[in-house]
C-alpha cells in the first residue's frame, strides 16, 4: 500500500512538472507496486493517463488540468501521511512535505470554540454542576472566550436572568481554575452585578430568604446587629448588605452599606484569585507580543493603559458606550466627520477588544499576552480599508482560518549581550519560532486578510488617530453641540483649547488684518532640527511665525494662545522630512533635547498680552542665534568646499610651504606672503566660529531664562516613544515612567525591563537612527489621578 501511494504520487508530480513520459506496465517495478488489472487501470486513468492496448503503455495526456492534479496530489499526500503515522516509518522522497502537514481539526476547534485541554473537565457532584455548560448553551469543551461571549449575549438578551448566568460563569471559573473567567466575573462584580449564589448567600447571611418582604429599616437593623455581634467583619457585613441593596435598586440602602458602588474590581479579583489559589502576577508590567509589525501599536497600547481615566472608561465600556440601537439616536459628528450607527457598532467592537486586552493586562499571571488580530487590524486600518477587507472575506467561498495567536508566552529571555544604553532588539528578533507548513492548492487560494507583516508596515503611526477616533465613536458623548460630539474622555485628556491668530496685510486695501479662530487639537508638532531643543520647537509652534505661501495677503504671521491646557500633553517630533532636491522622504535623526519638566505658562492666553515684550526679545535673540548658526554652517559645512574652511586654508598653506622649498628666493618671498595670508584667514575663521559658538551659548541661556519665573503650568515627562530605523522601516519601543516608584520602564514588545540609568532616555542620539519621535508629559497637579504604571503584584484593572 505504501509503495503504491508513493509511485502514484510520483506520477502526479511528474505531470505537474511537465514530464509527459509514458508508463511502461512491463517494468518490473511497476508490476510489483501497481500490477496491471482493472483497478490499477482505473486509478491511473483518474490521474489522466490513457491505457494503450497495443503497446500496453499508459500514455501521458497532452493536456493536464493542473487544478485537479493539485487536489489529487494533496489527497495522496494526506493518505500517505496517515499511513506513515501508523507504521512510524520515514519516507525520504516526500519527507519535507509530509513533515509540514498538520491536522486541520486543531484550527477547526479554535474557530468553533472547542478546546481539547478542557474537554474532560472534572465536575463536582453538586446539583446542577454537571449541566453548567448546557445552561449557557455550550459544551464542557468550549473555550473560555466562547463562554464569555455566550454569557454576554445571554445577559443582553435576557437581563432578568443575569444573576443566574453570572452564577453559572462563576462556578465554571472555580471548576476550571480559569484566570480568564475569573477576571470576567470580577469585572461584572465591580459594576454591582452579582450571581444567583451571591444573592442567596447575602440573604442567608442576614437570616432571610429572597422572598421575604422586609423593608429598608429592618435590613439596617440587621446590619447594626451584625456589627454589635462581630465588629471585626464590618467589610463582610457591608458587602452582603450592598448586594441586597443593588438587587432592590435601593440607593439609600446602597449608600448606607458603603460607597454606593460594587465591591471593587481589585478586591473581587484578589478575593477570587485567593479562593482559587492561582499564581501571582509578575512584579513588573506585562509585555505585549508582537503579532506582525505591531511594535508601534504595542507601545501605544501600553501608554494608553497607564492613563487611569482612559483605562477605567474602557474597562467600564458597558456604562460608557453609546447606544446606537436607541430609536431616538441620531448621527453624530467627531471632528466634523459623520458617524452613523454602523460606524458606532464597528467602534464598539474595537473598544470591546481593547477592554479585553486591558483586563488581561491587569490580571494575567503571564509575562506577556497578545492583542487580538481584530484589535490590530482595526487600529491600523481606517474604516473604509477595514470594511473592504471584511467584505472581501465575507464574499469568499473559501475562507481560510487565521493562524492561531498564542495568548501568552513563557517568561521571555532578556535579550542580553547588548552594551548598556544600546537599543534593545525587537522580541521577534530575540525569539524565533518555526511556522508549520501546510498543503495548499496553488491555483485556488482562498481570500484572506492581508498578512499582518505586509499590511501593517508603513501604517504604524497612523494608528494613533485611528484608535482615538474609534474610542470617541464608541463612547456616549459627555457633551454635544448639535451633531458634534464636543466632549468625551479623549477630549478631556488630550485636547488643547486655543485661539489661532492670523495677522497679514491685505494686498487690496493695504490694511493690517487680524483674524482670530478658536481651535482644538490633541498634540503639538515640533520639527526635528539639529541644535534645537524641545522648547525651541514649542516656541515655533505657539509664537508668531511667518506663514509660507499665504494667498490672502502678505507678511502673514500665525500665533497660537492656549485658554485650556490638557492634563496629558502629547508632542510629536516630526522626523519624516521631504528632500526637495531628490523628491524623496527621509528620516531626520537630529537630536532634540528633552526636558524632565516643562512649564507652559508662556503659551497661556492669560499671559499673552503681558508677555508680548518678552516674546519680542526672544524673537530678536532667536534671530541673532540663527545668524550665528548660519556663520558656523558657512565656515564648516559649505558644500562648495571639500572640508571646513579653516582646515582647507591650513591645508592649502601646507601645500604652498612644500612648494616653497623648491623655488628661488624671489618666488619664496611671494609664497611666504601667500602662506601667511592663508594662515591669518584660517585663524580669523576659527576665531569667528569660536565667537559665534560663545554668543550662541549666551543667547541660548538668555532664551532659557526668559520665562524661569513662570511655573504655574508644570508638566512632568511620562512617556518617550523611540523609533529605530529609516522613514520606511524600523522598530518601535517606549519608555514609561512610574511616578510613584520613580522608576523608568522599557516596553519592548513582550520584553519589559527596568531602566537602570535614567540617562538612557535623555542620551544624545546624534549619529544614531534610534531617537524619540513622540513624547508625553502629564500635568503635575493631576499625576496621582491621571497616571498609574502597573508594577506590583496586587495590580489589577
Amino acid at each position: 500500500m505504501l509503495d503504491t501511494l508513493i509511485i502514484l504520487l510520483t506520477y502526479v508530480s511528474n505531470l505537474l512538472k511537465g514530464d509527459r513520459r509514458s508508463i511502461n506496465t512491463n517494468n518490473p517495478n511497476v508490476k510489483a507496486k501497481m500490477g496491471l488489472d482493472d483497478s490499477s487501470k482505473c486509478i491511473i486513468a483518474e490521474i489522466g493517463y490513457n491505457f494503450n492496448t497495443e503497446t500496453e503503455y499508459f500514455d501521458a495526456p497532452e493536456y493536464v488540468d493542473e487544478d485537479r492534479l493539485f487536489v489529487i496530489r494533496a489527497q495522496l499526500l494526506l493518505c500517505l501521511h496517515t499511513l506513515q503515522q501508523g507504521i512510524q516509518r520515514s519516507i525520504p522522497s516526500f519527507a519535507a512535505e509530509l513533515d509540514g502537514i498538520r491536522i486541520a481539526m486543531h484550527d477547526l476547534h479554535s474557530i468553533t470554540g472547542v478546546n481539547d485541554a478542557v474537554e474532560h473537565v472534572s465536575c463536582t457532584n453538586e446539583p446542577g454542576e454537571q449541566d453548567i455548560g448546557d445552561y449557557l448553551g455550550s459544551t464542557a469543551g468550549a473555550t473560555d472566550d466562547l463562554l464569555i461571549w455566550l454569557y454576554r449575549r445571554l445577559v443582553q438578551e435576557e437581563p432578568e436572568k443575569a444573576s443566574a448566568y453570572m452564577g453559572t460563569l462563576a462556578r465554571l471559573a472555580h471548576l476550571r481554575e480559569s484566570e480568564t473567567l475569573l477576571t470576567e466575573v470580577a469585572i461584572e462584580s465591580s459594576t454591582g452585578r452579582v450571581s444567583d449564589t451571591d444573592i442567596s448567600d447575602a440573604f442567608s447571611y442576614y437570616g432571610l430568604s429572597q422572598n421575604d418582604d422586609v423593608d429598608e429599616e429592618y435590613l439596617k437593623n440587621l446590619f447594626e446587629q451584625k456589627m454589635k455581634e462581630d465588629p471585626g467583619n464590618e467589610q463582610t457585613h457591608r458587602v452582603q448588605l450592598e448586594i441586597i441593596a443593588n438587587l432592590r435598586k435601593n440607593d439609600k440602602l446602597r449608600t448606607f452599606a458603603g460607597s454606593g458602588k460594587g465591591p471593587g474590581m481589585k478586591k473581587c479579583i484578589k478575593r477570587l484569585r485567593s479562593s482559587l489559589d492561582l499564581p501571582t502576577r509578575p512584579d513588573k508590567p506585562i509585555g505585549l507580543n508582537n503579532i506582525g509589525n505591531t511594535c508601534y501599536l504595542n507601545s501605544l497600547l501600553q501608554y494608553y493603559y497607564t492613563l487611569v481615566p482612559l483605562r477605567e472608561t474602557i474597562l467600564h465600556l458597558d456604562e460608557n458606550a453609546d447606544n446606537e440601537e436607541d430609536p431616538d439616536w441620531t448621527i453624530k459628528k467627531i471632528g466634523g466627520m459623520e458617524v452613523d450607527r454602523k460606524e458606532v457598532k464597528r467602534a464598539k467592537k474595537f473598544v470591546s477588544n481593547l477592554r479585553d486586552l486591558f483586563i488581561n493586562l491587569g490580571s494575567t499571571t503571564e509575562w506577556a499576552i497578545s492583542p487580538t488580530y481584530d484589535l490590530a487590524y482595526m487600529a491600523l486600518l481606517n474604516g473604509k480599508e477595514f470594511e473592504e477587507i471584511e467584505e472581501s472575506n465575507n464574499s469568499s467561498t473559501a475562507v481560510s482560518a487565521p493562524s492561531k495567536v498564542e495568548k501568552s508566552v513563557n517568561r521571555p529571555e532578556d535579550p542580553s549581550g547588548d552594551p548598556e544604553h544600546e537599543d534593545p532588539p525587537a522580541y521577534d528578533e530575540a525569539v524565533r519560532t518555526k511556522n508549520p507548513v501546510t498543503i495548499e492548492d496553488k491555483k485556488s487560494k482562498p481570500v484572506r486578510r492581508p498578512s499582518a507583516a505586509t499590511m501593517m508596515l508603513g501604517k504604524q503611526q497612523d494608528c494613533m488617530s485611528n484608535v482615538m477616533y474609534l474610542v470617541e465613536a464608541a463612547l456616549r458623548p459627555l457633551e454635544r453641540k448639535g451633531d458634534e460630539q464636543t466632549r468625551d474622555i479623549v477630549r478631556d485628556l488630550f485636547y488643547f483649547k486655543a485661539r489661532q491668530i492670523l495677522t497679514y496685510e491685505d494686498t487690496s486695501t493695504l490694511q493690517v488684518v487680524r483674524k482670530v479662530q478658536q481651535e482644538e487639537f490633541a498634540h503639538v508638532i515640533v520639527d526635528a532640527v539639529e541644535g534645537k531643543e524641545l522648547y525651541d520647537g514649542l516656541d515655533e509652534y505657539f509664537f508668531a511665525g511667518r506663514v509660507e505661501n499665504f494667498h490672502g495677503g502678505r507678511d502673514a504671521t500665525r500665533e497660537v494662545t492656549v485658554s485650556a491646557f490638557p492634563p496629558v500633553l502629547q508632542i510629536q517630533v516630526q522626523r519624516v522630512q521631504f528632500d526637495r532636491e531628490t523628491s524623496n522622504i527621509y528620516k531626520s535623526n537630529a537630536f532634540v533635547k528633552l526636558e524632565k519638566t516643562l512649564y507652559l505658562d508662556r503659551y497661556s492666553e492669560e499671559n499673552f498680552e503681558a508677555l508680548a515684550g518678552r516674546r519680542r526679545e526672544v524673537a530678536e535673540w532667536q534671530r541673532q542665534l540663527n545668524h550665528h548658526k548660519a556663520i558656523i554652517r558657512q565656515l564648516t559645512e559649505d558644500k562648495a568646499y571639500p572640508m571646513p574652511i579653516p582646515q582647507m586654508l591650513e591645508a592649502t598653506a601646507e601645500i604652498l610651504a612644500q612648494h616653497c622649498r623648491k623655488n628661488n628666493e624671489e618666488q619664496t618671498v611671494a609664497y611666504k606672503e601667500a602662506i601667511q595670508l592663508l594662515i591669518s584667514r584660517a585663524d580669523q575663521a576659527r576665531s569667528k566660529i569660536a565667537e559665534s559658538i560663545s554668543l550662541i551659548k549666551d543667547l541660548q541661556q538668555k532664551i532659557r531664562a526668559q520665562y524661569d519665573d513662570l511655573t504655574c503650568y508644570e508638566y512632568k515627562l511620562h512617556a518617550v516613544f523611540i523609533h529605530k530605523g529609516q522613514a520606511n522601516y524600523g522598530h518601535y519601543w517606549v519608555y514609561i515612567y512610574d511616578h510613584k516608584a520613580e522608576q523608568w520602564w522599557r516596553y519592548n514588545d513582550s520584553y519589559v525591563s527596568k531602566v537602570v540609568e535614567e540617562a538612557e532616555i535623555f542620551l544624545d542620539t546624534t549619529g544614531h537612527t534610534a531617537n524619540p519621535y513622540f513624547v508625553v508629559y502629564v500635568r503635575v497637579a493631576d499625576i496621582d489621578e491621571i497616571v498609574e504604571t502597573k508594577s506590583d503584584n496586587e495590580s489589577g484593572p
Side-chain angles (χ1 to χ4, degrees), residues 4 7-8 11 23-45 49-59:
T4 302
I7 198 169
L8 286 172
Y11 292 154
I23 301 172
N24 182 4
T25 58
N26 294 315
N27 185 310
N29 190 39
V30 175
K31 282 185 176 182
K33 295 179 179 179
M34 289 288 300
L36 185 63
D37 55 24
D38 291 341
S39 297
S40 61
K41 288 179 182 179
C42 183
I43 291 172
I44 295 178
Y49 287 88
N50 301 306
F51 183 69
N52 190 323
T53 54
E54 295 180 2
T55 62
E56 293 193 342
Y57 274 43
F58 283 101
D59 294 330

Tab-separated table of all heavy atoms in Angstrom, residues 4 7-8 11 23-45 49-59:
chain	number	residue	atom	x	y	z
A	4	THR	N	2.563	1.742	-3.326
A	4	THR	CA	1.591	2.143	-4.345
A	4	THR	C	1.314	3.649	-4.270
A	4	THR	O	1.284	4.354	-5.286
A	4	THR	CB	0.270	1.366	-4.167
A	4	THR	OG1	0.539	-0.028	-4.241
A	4	THR	CG2	-0.737	1.745	-5.239
A	7	ILE	N	4.371	5.640	-5.636
A	7	ILE	CA	4.519	5.655	-7.094
A	7	ILE	C	3.430	6.497	-7.757
A	7	ILE	O	3.674	7.225	-8.716
A	7	ILE	CB	4.543	4.213	-7.661
A	7	ILE	CG1	5.134	4.240	-9.088
A	7	ILE	CG2	3.158	3.570	-7.663
A	7	ILE	CD1	5.437	2.848	-9.630
A	8	LEU	N	2.193	6.449	-7.206
A	8	LEU	CA	1.118	7.301	-7.741
A	8	LEU	C	1.446	8.779	-7.530
A	8	LEU	O	1.230	9.609	-8.426
A	8	LEU	CB	-0.214	6.960	-7.059
A	8	LEU	CG	-0.884	5.648	-7.469
A	8	LEU	CD1	-2.091	5.373	-6.568
A	8	LEU	CD2	-1.312	5.687	-8.937
A	11	TYR	N	3.936	9.849	-10.141
A	11	TYR	CA	3.330	10.093	-11.455
A	11	TYR	C	2.653	11.478	-11.499
A	11	TYR	O	2.802	12.229	-12.473
A	11	TYR	CB	2.284	9.005	-11.779
A	11	TYR	CG	2.865	7.628	-12.007
A	11	TYR	CD1	2.092	6.480	-11.785
A	11	TYR	CD2	4.186	7.470	-12.441
A	11	TYR	CE1	2.612	5.219	-11.988
A	11	TYR	CE2	4.717	6.194	-12.653
A	11	TYR	CZ	3.931	5.082	-12.408
A	11	TYR	OH	4.447	3.839	-12.606
A	23	ILE	N	4.026	5.408	-19.148
A	23	ILE	CA	4.339	4.448	-18.099
A	23	ILE	C	4.393	3.053	-18.714
A	23	ILE	O	3.420	2.570	-19.303
A	23	ILE	CB	3.274	4.481	-16.990
A	23	ILE	CG1	3.190	5.886	-16.372
A	23	ILE	CG2	3.560	3.448	-15.916
A	23	ILE	CD1	2.027	6.040	-15.417
A	24	ASN	N	5.531	2.399	-18.584
A	24	ASN	CA	5.730	1.049	-19.117
A	24	ASN	C	5.207	0.037	-18.114
A	24	ASN	O	5.786	-0.158	-17.046
A	24	ASN	CB	7.222	0.826	-19.398
A	24	ASN	CG	7.491	-0.550	-19.993
A	24	ASN	OD1	6.561	-1.322	-20.266
A	24	ASN	ND2	8.772	-0.857	-20.185
A	25	THR	N	4.100	-0.622	-18.458
A	25	THR	CA	3.499	-1.562	-17.498
A	25	THR	C	4.310	-2.842	-17.370
A	25	THR	O	4.073	-3.638	-16.453
A	25	THR	CB	2.064	-1.912	-17.940
A	25	THR	OG1	2.099	-2.475	-19.257
A	25	THR	CG2	1.185	-0.688	-17.927
A	26	ASN	N	5.244	-3.082	-18.302
A	26	ASN	CA	6.093	-4.277	-18.225
A	26	ASN	C	7.305	-4.054	-17.313
A	26	ASN	O	8.061	-4.983	-17.067
A	26	ASN	CB	6.573	-4.683	-19.626
A	26	ASN	CG	5.408	-5.139	-20.500
A	26	ASN	OD1	4.548	-5.913	-20.043
A	26	ASN	ND2	5.373	-4.661	-21.751
A	27	ASN	N	7.465	-2.828	-16.866
A	27	ASN	CA	8.553	-2.524	-15.931
A	27	ASN	C	8.341	-3.323	-14.656
A	27	ASN	O	7.270	-3.259	-14.049
A	27	ASN	CB	8.557	-1.023	-15.627
A	27	ASN	CG	9.736	-0.608	-14.771
A	27	ASN	OD1	10.002	-1.210	-13.749
A	27	ASN	ND2	10.421	0.460	-15.189
A	28	PRO	N	9.345	-4.116	-14.225
A	28	PRO	CA	9.175	-4.953	-13.024
A	28	PRO	C	8.781	-4.143	-11.791
A	28	PRO	O	8.009	-4.628	-10.956
A	28	PRO	CB	10.566	-5.582	-12.835
A	28	PRO	CG	11.190	-5.532	-14.180
A	28	PRO	CD	10.663	-4.292	-14.849
A	29	ASN	N	9.311	-2.926	-11.675
A	29	ASN	CA	8.997	-2.081	-10.520
A	29	ASN	C	7.518	-1.709	-10.510
A	29	ASN	O	6.856	-1.724	-9.463
A	29	ASN	CB	9.864	-0.823	-10.554
A	29	ASN	CG	9.765	-0.028	-9.265
A	29	ASN	OD1	9.703	-0.598	-8.183
A	29	ASN	ND2	9.755	1.288	-9.402
A	30	VAL	N	6.987	-1.370	-11.733
A	30	VAL	CA	5.572	-1.015	-11.848
A	30	VAL	C	4.697	-2.234	-11.567
A	30	VAL	O	3.673	-2.150	-10.875
A	30	VAL	CB	5.267	-0.447	-13.249
A	30	VAL	CG1	3.779	-0.192	-13.415
A	30	VAL	CG2	6.058	0.830	-13.494
A	31	LYS	N	5.107	-3.407	-12.104
A	31	LYS	CA	4.327	-4.620	-11.868
A	31	LYS	C	4.247	-4.964	-10.388
A	31	LYS	O	3.187	-5.336	-9.870
A	31	LYS	CB	4.958	-5.795	-12.630
A	31	LYS	CG	4.647	-5.808	-14.117
A	31	LYS	CD	5.205	-7.067	-14.761
A	31	LYS	CE	4.814	-7.160	-16.245
A	31	LYS	NZ	5.328	-8.416	-16.854
A	32	ALA	N	5.382	-4.794	-9.714
A	32	ALA	CA	5.421	-5.166	-8.297
A	32	ALA	C	4.588	-4.225	-7.433
A	32	ALA	O	3.949	-4.655	-6.474
A	32	ALA	CB	6.874	-5.178	-7.816
A	33	LYS	N	4.611	-2.941	-7.775
A	33	LYS	CA	3.949	-1.960	-6.909
A	33	LYS	C	2.512	-1.644	-7.327
A	33	LYS	O	1.713	-1.205	-6.491
A	33	LYS	CB	4.756	-0.661	-6.890
A	33	LYS	CG	6.133	-0.846	-6.260
A	33	LYS	CD	6.934	0.441	-6.264
A	33	LYS	CE	8.299	0.231	-5.612
A	33	LYS	NZ	9.111	1.467	-5.617
A	34	MET	N	2.213	-1.797	-8.644
A	34	MET	CA	0.886	-1.409	-9.118
A	34	MET	C	0.102	-2.593	-9.671
A	34	MET	O	-1.112	-2.698	-9.487
A	34	MET	CB	1.009	-0.354	-10.221
A	34	MET	CG	1.455	1.000	-9.729
A	34	MET	SD	0.161	1.840	-8.790
A	34	MET	CE	-1.121	1.941	-10.023
A	35	GLY	N	0.827	-3.470	-10.398
A	35	GLY	CA	0.133	-4.542	-11.087
A	35	GLY	C	-0.585	-3.995	-12.312
A	35	GLY	O	-0.533	-2.780	-12.609
A	36	LEU	N	-1.243	-4.851	-13.026
A	36	LEU	CA	-1.999	-4.407	-14.190
A	36	LEU	C	-3.340	-5.144	-14.194
A	36	LEU	O	-3.468	-6.247	-14.711
A	36	LEU	CB	-1.214	-4.701	-15.481
A	36	LEU	CG	-1.852	-4.171	-16.764
A	36	LEU	CD1	-1.946	-2.644	-16.727
A	36	LEU	CD2	-1.031	-4.585	-18.001
A	37	ASP	N	-4.301	-4.520	-13.614
A	37	ASP	CA	-5.657	-5.070	-13.590
A	37	ASP	C	-6.630	-3.917	-13.741
A	37	ASP	O	-6.226	-2.752	-13.923
A	37	ASP	CB	-5.907	-5.869	-12.311
A	37	ASP	CG	-5.626	-5.054	-11.048
A	37	ASP	OD1	-5.686	-3.796	-11.120
A	37	ASP	OD2	-5.351	-5.655	-9.990
A	38	ASP	N	-7.905	-4.222	-13.697
A	38	ASP	CA	-8.918	-3.187	-13.900
A	38	ASP	C	-8.818	-2.082	-12.837
A	38	ASP	O	-9.021	-0.897	-13.141
A	38	ASP	CB	-10.323	-3.810	-13.869
A	38	ASP	CG	-10.587	-4.687	-15.087
A	38	ASP	OD1	-9.850	-4.510	-16.078
A	38	ASP	OD2	-11.507	-5.509	-15.025
A	39	SER	N	-8.498	-2.439	-11.609
A	39	SER	CA	-8.412	-1.445	-10.530
A	39	SER	C	-7.264	-0.469	-10.768
A	39	SER	O	-7.420	0.746	-10.649
A	39	SER	CB	-8.217	-2.145	-9.175
A	39	SER	OG	-9.328	-2.945	-8.863
A	40	SER	N	-6.074	-1.035	-11.107
A	40	SER	CA	-4.916	-0.157	-11.320
A	40	SER	C	-5.118	0.714	-12.552
A	40	SER	O	-4.735	1.895	-12.562
A	40	SER	CB	-3.640	-0.988	-11.450
A	40	SER	OG	-3.729	-1.874	-12.555
A	41	LYS	N	-5.753	0.149	-13.602
A	41	LYS	CA	-6.033	0.950	-14.797
A	41	LYS	C	-6.967	2.110	-14.461
A	41	LYS	O	-6.789	3.229	-14.930
A	41	LYS	CB	-6.662	0.064	-15.888
A	41	LYS	CG	-5.706	-0.921	-16.536
A	41	LYS	CD	-6.455	-1.761	-17.577
A	41	LYS	CE	-5.522	-2.796	-18.211
A	41	LYS	NZ	-6.222	-3.649	-19.203
A	42	CYS	N	-7.954	1.834	-13.640
A	42	CYS	CA	-8.932	2.874	-13.259
A	42	CYS	C	-8.265	3.983	-12.457
A	42	CYS	O	-8.518	5.169	-12.690
A	42	CYS	CB	-10.057	2.224	-12.472
A	42	CYS	SG	-11.375	3.381	-12.025
A	43	ILE	N	-7.376	3.589	-11.532
A	43	ILE	CA	-6.705	4.585	-10.688
A	43	ILE	C	-5.805	5.477	-11.531
A	43	ILE	O	-5.827	6.717	-11.395
A	43	ILE	CB	-5.895	3.877	-9.578
A	43	ILE	CG1	-6.842	3.224	-8.566
A	43	ILE	CG2	-4.979	4.882	-8.864
A	43	ILE	CD1	-6.131	2.342	-7.564
A	44	ILE	N	-5.016	4.867	-12.408
A	44	ILE	CA	-4.078	5.665	-13.221
A	44	ILE	C	-4.845	6.511	-14.227
A	44	ILE	O	-4.430	7.632	-14.572
A	44	ILE	CB	-3.064	4.730	-13.931
A	44	ILE	CG1	-2.196	4.039	-12.868
A	44	ILE	CG2	-2.174	5.520	-14.891
A	44	ILE	CD1	-1.198	3.054	-13.434
A	45	ALA	N	-5.983	6.017	-14.709
A	45	ALA	CA	-6.817	6.816	-15.609
A	45	ALA	C	-7.354	8.058	-14.903
A	45	ALA	O	-7.506	9.128	-15.509
A	45	ALA	CB	-7.970	5.972	-16.152
A	49	TYR	N	-3.767	9.494	-17.278
A	49	TYR	CA	-3.104	8.644	-18.271
A	49	TYR	C	-4.136	7.806	-19.024
A	49	TYR	O	-5.177	7.432	-18.477
A	49	TYR	CB	-2.094	7.719	-17.597
A	49	TYR	CG	-0.846	8.428	-17.111
A	49	TYR	CD1	-0.807	8.984	-15.834
A	49	TYR	CD2	0.279	8.527	-17.920
A	49	TYR	CE1	0.334	9.632	-15.368
A	49	TYR	CE2	1.421	9.174	-17.462
A	49	TYR	CZ	1.444	9.723	-16.194
A	49	TYR	OH	2.579	10.355	-15.759
A	50	ASN	N	-3.813	7.488	-20.303
A	50	ASN	CA	-4.693	6.663	-21.140
A	50	ASN	C	-3.983	5.345	-21.448
A	50	ASN	O	-2.828	5.336	-21.913
A	50	ASN	CB	-5.031	7.380	-22.452
A	50	ASN	CG	-5.720	8.710	-22.197
A	50	ASN	OD1	-6.721	8.762	-21.497
A	50	ASN	ND2	-5.159	9.773	-22.768
A	51	PHE	N	-4.683	4.206	-21.222
A	51	PHE	CA	-4.057	2.898	-21.466
A	51	PHE	C	-4.097	2.564	-22.953
A	51	PHE	O	-5.151	2.604	-23.586
A	51	PHE	CB	-4.765	1.804	-20.659
A	51	PHE	CG	-4.128	0.456	-20.803
A	51	PHE	CD1	-2.866	0.208	-20.256
A	51	PHE	CD2	-4.770	-0.562	-21.494
A	51	PHE	CE1	-2.277	-1.028	-20.391
A	51	PHE	CE2	-4.178	-1.806	-21.632
A	51	PHE	CZ	-2.924	-2.049	-21.079
A	52	ASN	N	-2.927	2.272	-23.497
A	52	ASN	CA	-2.789	1.915	-24.917
A	52	ASN	C	-2.747	0.396	-25.009
A	52	ASN	O	-1.791	-0.245	-24.562
A	52	ASN	CB	-1.500	2.518	-25.482
A	52	ASN	CG	-1.415	2.383	-26.993
A	52	ASN	OD1	-1.834	1.368	-27.561
A	52	ASN	ND2	-0.822	3.395	-27.624
A	53	THR	N	-3.829	-0.204	-25.588
A	53	THR	CA	-3.932	-1.669	-25.625
A	53	THR	C	-2.880	-2.287	-26.529
A	53	THR	O	-2.508	-3.450	-26.351
A	53	THR	CB	-5.334	-2.081	-26.101
A	53	THR	OG1	-5.624	-1.453	-27.359
A	53	THR	CG2	-6.386	-1.670	-25.082
A	54	GLU	N	-2.409	-1.523	-27.545
A	54	GLU	CA	-1.425	-2.092	-28.472
A	54	GLU	C	-0.045	-2.171	-27.817
A	54	GLU	O	0.648	-3.175	-27.926
A	54	GLU	CB	-1.353	-1.243	-29.748
A	54	GLU	CG	-2.657	-1.265	-30.552
A	54	GLU	CD	-2.541	-0.423	-31.811
A	54	GLU	OE1	-1.429	0.124	-32.053
A	54	GLU	OE2	-3.531	-0.318	-32.540
A	55	THR	N	0.354	-1.128	-27.133
A	55	THR	CA	1.702	-1.094	-26.538
A	55	THR	C	1.702	-1.512	-25.069
A	55	THR	O	2.753	-1.783	-24.505
A	55	THR	CB	2.292	0.324	-26.625
A	55	THR	OG1	1.457	1.222	-25.856
A	55	THR	CG2	2.357	0.792	-28.061
A	56	GLU	N	0.514	-1.593	-24.481
A	56	GLU	CA	0.358	-1.843	-23.051
A	56	GLU	C	1.147	-0.829	-22.217
A	56	GLU	O	1.696	-1.148	-21.164
A	56	GLU	CB	0.771	-3.287	-22.693
A	56	GLU	CG	-0.165	-4.337	-23.271
A	56	GLU	CD	0.053	-5.710	-22.662
A	56	GLU	OE1	1.136	-5.914	-22.058
A	56	GLU	OE2	-0.850	-6.541	-22.766
A	57	TYR	N	1.162	0.400	-22.744
A	57	TYR	CA	1.744	1.530	-22.006
A	57	TYR	C	0.595	2.465	-21.574
A	57	TYR	O	-0.449	2.495	-22.227
A	57	TYR	CB	2.703	2.336	-22.893
A	57	TYR	CG	4.117	1.814	-22.944
A	57	TYR	CD1	4.381	0.449	-23.054
A	57	TYR	CD2	5.184	2.697	-22.917
A	57	TYR	CE1	5.680	-0.023	-23.126
A	57	TYR	CE2	6.495	2.243	-22.989
A	57	TYR	CZ	6.738	0.871	-23.094
A	57	TYR	OH	8.025	0.426	-23.155
A	58	PHE	N	0.815	3.177	-20.481
A	58	PHE	CA	-0.096	4.270	-20.135
A	58	PHE	C	0.479	5.546	-20.748
A	58	PHE	O	1.538	6.036	-20.320
A	58	PHE	CB	-0.208	4.434	-18.609
A	58	PHE	CG	-1.079	3.407	-17.947
A	58	PHE	CD1	-0.510	2.317	-17.297
A	58	PHE	CD2	-2.459	3.523	-17.999
A	58	PHE	CE1	-1.318	1.376	-16.687
A	58	PHE	CE2	-3.264	2.591	-17.379
A	58	PHE	CZ	-2.698	1.496	-16.734
A	59	ASP	N	-0.205	6.066	-21.778
A	59	ASP	CA	0.285	7.270	-22.449
A	59	ASP	C	-0.078	8.515	-21.642
A	59	ASP	O	-1.211	8.637	-21.135
A	59	ASP	CB	-0.321	7.381	-23.853
A	59	ASP	CG	0.154	6.249	-24.763
A	59	ASP	OD1	1.289	5.777	-24.544
A	59	ASP	OD2	-0.617	5.863	-25.655
